[in-house]
């Protein structure tokens, strides 16, 4: 593949988070380029080297941009070596530069990605040695050049990673605090929610931490390219970089910035988080557009921000969640407090990102839309809710908020799932016991079989009032499937009780399954 002039076209790929390929494809199209192919987390496009660098400067969701040097169908180690030999490494890399190789994707014939990386280094070194150049060294922390290799569906892509540091590192976040949201993830959230479809009067984050959502939203609405502050030192030092002017590309993108009328305001209970957010906002050059104050969710209100009834408002939040901060019981209370505070906004939409679906459910709001994705080993949920008079925003509470009596059981289910989540995920297990009569007042056994629930109810002893036993049974039937995100019709119930010798073989008129 040619990289000899800035105008010769080639293929480049944008690496992205799983389940965000559609967003990257949209970004490519919005730059007037054609999408060549889409695979999980890897979108390819055709364009010039300048266009590839421009994508690097402007992509909000992409993690890296790779200029391809070779691609081909490869199904064995020997074929992979052959493909590596087709690359003119001496022409692409400077003599004496050090290299890092990032291998992603999987194929049966390369079990160990380190082995694939070693084959790349061998090919680079063989060519250098034939040309009597210094031996290129491997460097994982501060390489001059990152080489990317991606295996997928029988095809291998090999190229130069144009960025040396990941694109989520915009340069403004020196300190993230306890649980910072990845910048590219904040952009996935904003894109899914379509925050910029209509310019809102205000965007607010009631628990803004280091300010990521506000900064990324501000950059999006003001059309600020995420990498416009990236220095060329943060780009791979390969010969292709000489053929473009990074300064010219960033300068051109800066001319496209617009100042929108939206106000950006954030709050956090933690004064240190507020200090960090302010420092990050300043580094991003956005102090004149975003303000952040110490504030608690309990005080969150339209009056606090001078919002009128007609002001269209976006409330965006990444509230604390179990894996990073907080305890489960407190979190349910906090999410419900947030819901109650949001009720006061007359013309608002609420967008949440969290790793715990149960917490979103605890809000007791009907979401207009939900998205699920995988990032950093967590399953993330993004949800959008309409608030205020214009929509039937809040569900009938009786129908959506579990009563206090069933909460111990639901909390126990969440706890059990959380404790086992790693084991289940790494072993790809989708049939397992969720709950085994651990709480005396809920004498049930709950098993999950893929998308089905099997709930076995033990008949209570005669000492228990049948009316209250029946009430509890109804609570289990109503809330457990909902809590676990399983449709009611996919929950199967069995009643278990000790039978006398004769009765156990008698025919029953009705089957035991109740839908
Ligand atoms: C998951 S972090 C948010 C991270 C943020 N999105 C970022 O990128 O840095 C949750 C934040 O909620 C804040 N928080 C916890 N309880 C709060 C409350 N009652 N009121 C306001 N903020 C709260 C924490 O201090 C923390 O900064």
């Amino acid at each position: 593949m040619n990289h000899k002039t800035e105008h010769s076209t080639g293929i480049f790929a944008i690496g992205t988070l799983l389940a965000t390929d559609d967003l990257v494809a949209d970004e490519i199209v919005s730059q007037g380029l054609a999408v060549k192919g889409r695979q999980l987390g890897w979108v390819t496009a055709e364009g010039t080297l300048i266009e590839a660098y421009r994508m690097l400067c402007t992509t909000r969701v992409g993690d890296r941009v790779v200029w391809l040097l070779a691609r081909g169908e490869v199904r064995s180690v020997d074929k992979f070596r052959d493909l590596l030999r087709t690359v003119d490494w001496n022409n692409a890399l400077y003599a004496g530069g050090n290299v890092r190789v990032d291998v992603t994707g999987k194929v049966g014939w390369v079990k160990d990605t380190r082995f694939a990386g070693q084959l790349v280094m061998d090919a680079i070194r063989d060519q250098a040695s034939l040309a009597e150049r210094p031996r290129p060294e491997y460097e994982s922390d501060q390489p001059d050049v990152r080489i990317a290799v991606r295996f997928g569906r029988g095809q291998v892509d090999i190229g130069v990673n144009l960025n040396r540091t990941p694109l989520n590192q915009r340069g403004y976040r020196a300190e993230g605090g306890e649980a910072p949201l990845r910048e590219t993830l904040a952009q996935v959230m904003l894109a899914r929610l379509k925050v910029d479809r209509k310019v809102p009067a205000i965007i607010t984050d009631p628990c803004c931490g280091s300010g990521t959502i506000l900064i990324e939203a501000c950059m999006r609405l003001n059309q600020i390219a995420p990498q416009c502050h990236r220095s060329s030192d943060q780009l791979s030092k390969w010969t292709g970089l000489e053929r473009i002017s990074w300064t010219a590309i960033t300068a051109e993108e800066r001319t496209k910035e617009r100042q929108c009328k939206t106000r950006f305001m954030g709050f956090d209970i933690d004064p240190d988080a507020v200090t960090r957010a302010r420092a990050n906002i300043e580094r991003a050059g956005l102090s004149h557009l975003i303000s952040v104050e110490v504030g608690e969710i309990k005080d969150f209100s339209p009056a606090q921000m001078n919002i009128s009834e007609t002001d269209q408002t976006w409330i965006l939040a990444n509230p604390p969640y179990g894996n990073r901060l907080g305890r489960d019981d407190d979190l349910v209370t906090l999410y419900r407090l947030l819901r109650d505070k949001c009720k006061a906004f007359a013309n608002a939409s609420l967008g949440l990102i969290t790793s715990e679906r149960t917490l979103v459910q605890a809000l007791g709001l009907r979401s207009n839309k939900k998205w699920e994705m995988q990032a950093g080993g967590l399953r993330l949920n993004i949800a959008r809710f309409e608030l205020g008079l214009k929509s039937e925003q809040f569900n009938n509470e009786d129908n959506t908020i579990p009563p206090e009596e069933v909460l111990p059981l639901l909390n126990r289910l969440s706890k059990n799932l959380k404790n086992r989540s790693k084991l289940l995920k790494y072993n790809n297990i989708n049939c397992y016991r969720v709950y085994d009569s651990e709480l005396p007042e809920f004498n049930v056994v709950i098993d999950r079989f893929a998308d089905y629930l099997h709930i076995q109810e033990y008949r209570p002893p005669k000492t228990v009032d049948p009316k209250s036993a029946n009430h509890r049974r109804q609570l289990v039937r109503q809330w457990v499937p909902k809590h676990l995100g399983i449709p009611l019709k996919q929950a199967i119930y069995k009643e278990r009780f000790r039978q006398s010798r004769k009765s156990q073989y008698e025919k029953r008129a009705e089957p035991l399954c109740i839908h």
Side-chain angles (χ1 to χ4, degrees), residues 179-181 206-210 212 268-270 295-297 318-320 325 334:
L181 187 66
C207 41
C208 68
S210 57
T212 317
D268 201 285
I269 194 170
D270 175 4
E296 291 192 41
I297 290 176
N318 165 221
L325 293 168
L334 189 72

Side-chain angles (χ1 to χ4, degrees), residues 151-166:
F151 295 104
R153 296 194 197 146
Q155 173 150 310
V156 184
D157 286 348
I158 302 164
V160 174
N161 214 111
L162 300 184
N163 49 300
R164 281 204 302 156
T165 50

